[in-house]
Amino acid sequence: MIVLLLGSGGREHALAATLAKSPKLTRLIAAPGNPGIAQHAELRDVPVDDLDGIVRLATTEKVDLVVVGPEAPLVAGVVDRLAEAGIKAFGPSAAAARLEGSKAFTKELCARHDIPTAGFRRCRSGAEGHAAVEVFGAPVVIKADGLAAGKGVTVAMTLEEAHAAVDDVFSGGFGEAGAEAVVEEFMAGEEASLFALCDGTTALVFGDAQDHKRAYDGDEGPNTGGMGAYSPTPALSHALAEDAMARIVRPTVAALQADGTPFVGFLYAGLMLTSDGPKLVEYNVRFGDPEAQVVLPRLKDDLLELLLAAVEGRLAGLTPSFKPDTALAVVMAAKGYPGDYAKGSEIRGIEAAGKRPGVTVFHAGTALKDGKLVSAGGRVLAVSALGADAAEAQMNAYDAVDLIDWPDGFCRRDIGWRAAAQAEEG
Ligand code: AMP
Ligand code: GLY
């Protein structure tokens, strides 16, 4: 099979490395890709927001399956465009991708189907937002409605902060994403992510993970796209995962099916493990990054076969299987991230790091310049390691990180602290 993979981050490097193991694969093409993905795929210089260019590329290369990594082209309708051209694609249609593209859409779907999530109000103006904040009281959560690259959410501990966040959303800073806001009840608990592989009708558990969103050690500092992750997560027991599938994920997939907009793809449920059981924080309509870099190294099955089965509606009766080992990934980011940072500094030592047992160095934001590997983004590498438990995976990951010579980068030194401490306690 000829497969076209869309995207250029660490998640797509993990997808490429895993797809490359499939005996069914004859050619892997990636657009636009990165130097890590280039180890497994032929790169084509088509950006993910160029839907015409993607359809043209898939048509001329006679691609059998397109695998979409990031959310933006899904929300923009790349799967619909490919379907019109008769090309199979793994990922949701634009209508189903509203689960990530519009927080209000998801909250109303949850309300209609009694899916456990935080209480909420949709607000179309600053005045409505301020009124909703007063109704909920502090702490309270304010979200811009649309895609805001992870920056549209404020967990406000005081009313003052909450009102400022409402003003922020309606000040125009988020563009279209800020035309509407959702004000939500604050949920207390530990967060975990559950991934489901969906074919429109059937949703199968496809691993779980916990990530660290804050930039600095001790879960301090600004929010980021994710500074590290591990899988599996001890916090999400088998029973809790089943509960979340039964009360959150499967009813969502059934609702979209009934509405005539079936969900095909990876459905990523961000969960809050509250004292009343798991509640939905948010959905993403694609794999997590860096969660893919810890879930996919544990997959025992042929990923390409599973993705094809999803696209063809054949998931019923299958059970994806994973190694019992823990995988843990440490993100190396450019100094200054998630604020301003420089690009173009040389990175050395990733070959040595990648030779350590069970270690893969995934490229997230790298480029080749005059034959040298240089940084080209905020999150630059994800160093992922397997271990018998979280403590061993953590040690293996940091041993590999320490072989990487990149003075302009930084990483957290405590990824997986909670799970590693539990593993050590035995
Ligand atoms: P989201 O983009 O919706 O995932 O929100 C980003 C982060 O904000 C989540 O990972 C949570 O840590 C936090 N968050 C979002 N909604 C809530 C809520 N209702 N209660 C508590 N924390 C929340
Ligand atoms: N790591 C969080 C995300 O992929 O959205």
Side-chain angles (χ1 to χ4, degrees), residues 97-422:
R98 282 179 296 173
L99 280 182
E100 178 165 359
S102 167
K103 306 217 182 258
F105 172 83
T106 299
K107 295 303 281 190
E108 288 188 341
L109 184 143
C110 289
R112 279 199 306 279
H113 296 277
D114 281 327
I115 293 170
T117 186
F120 74 104
R121 282 206 176 183
R122 274 179 90 157
C123 306
R124 292 181 186 80
S125 67
E128 284 181 23
H130 292 301
V133 162
E134 290 299 328
V135 171
F136 285 108
V140 63
V141 182
I142 293 92
K143 302 181 175 180
D145 179 62
L147 288 185
K151 297 195 179 89
V153 176
T154 304
V155 179
M157 298 317 285
T158 65
L159 285 177
E160 198 184 349
E161 250 184 283
H163 288 299
V166 169
D167 287 336
D168 228 32
V169 172
F170 290 103
S171 68
F174 295 110
E176 249 179 69
E180 206 179 310
V182 170
V183 174
E184 277 186 20
E185 168 202 355
F186 173 83
M187 299 184 287
E190 194 172 338
E191 282 183 73
S193 304
L194 179 63
F195 304 97
L197 177 65
C198 307
D199 69 0
T201 311
T202 300
L204 306 176
V205 174
F206 196 86
D208 61 85
Q210 255 176 323
D211 76 339
H212 294 264
K213 288 209 172 70
R214 301 299 195 103
Y216 312 133
D217 285 14
D219 292 319
E220 306 239 3
N223 256 313
T224 72
M227 293 301 290
Y230 52 96
S231 170
T233 165
L236 195 68
S237 64
H238 182 73
L240 282 178
E242 271 313 311
D243 187 33
M245 288 300 288
R247 295 198 302 137
I248 299 174
V249 174
R250 290 198 187 103
T252 301
V253 170
L256 288 175
Q257 165 93 305
D259 292 344
T261 54
F263 188 94
V264 176
F266 286 122
L267 185 55
Y268 163 162
L271 303 175
M272 191 69 80
L273 307 177
T274 75
S275 49
D276 298 330
K279 291 189 181 180
L280 181 71
V281 178
E282 63 156 358
Y283 276 128
N284 295 306
V285 297
R286 36 80 188 166
F287 224 98
D289 186 338
E291 290 87 343
Q293 295 93 306
V294 291
V295 172
L296 292 171
R298 297 182 48 233
L299 180 67
K300 291 206 274 190
D301 302 317
D302 182 332
L303 178 64
L304 181 50
E305 269 186 28
L306 285 171
L307 301 190
L308 196 61
V311 170
E312 294 175 349
R314 296 187 280 106
L315 287 182
L318 301 181
T319 313
S321 58
F322 293 88
K323 294 176 194 162
D325 310 57
T326 294
L328 184 144
V330 177
V331 168
M332 299 185 76
K335 279 182 187 161
Y337 174 81
D340 292 337
Y341 52 84
K343 294 182 185 176
S345 57
E346 190 180 353
I347 305 160
R348 295 193 196 86
I350 71 166
E351 296 77 16
K355 279 188 190 133
R356 312 248 344 156
V359 170
T360 311
V361 180
F362 293 111
H363 293 233
T366 65
L368 284 172
K369 196 170 136 204
D370 306 326
K372 289 180 178 151
L373 190 71
V374 299
S375 65
R379 292 190 294 170
V380 170
L381 301 170
V383 180
S384 179
L386 289 162
D389 59 24
E392 193 181 291
Q394 187 190 49
M395 195 176 66
N396 292 345
Y398 281 108
D399 282 349
V401 164
D402 290 338
L403 294 173
I404 295 175
D405 175 17
W406 179 36
D408 285 345
F410 78 100
C411 66
R412 282 183 54 164
R413 300 297 313 187
D414 64 346
I415 299 302
W417 60 269
R418 207 185 259 124
Q422 276 180 16

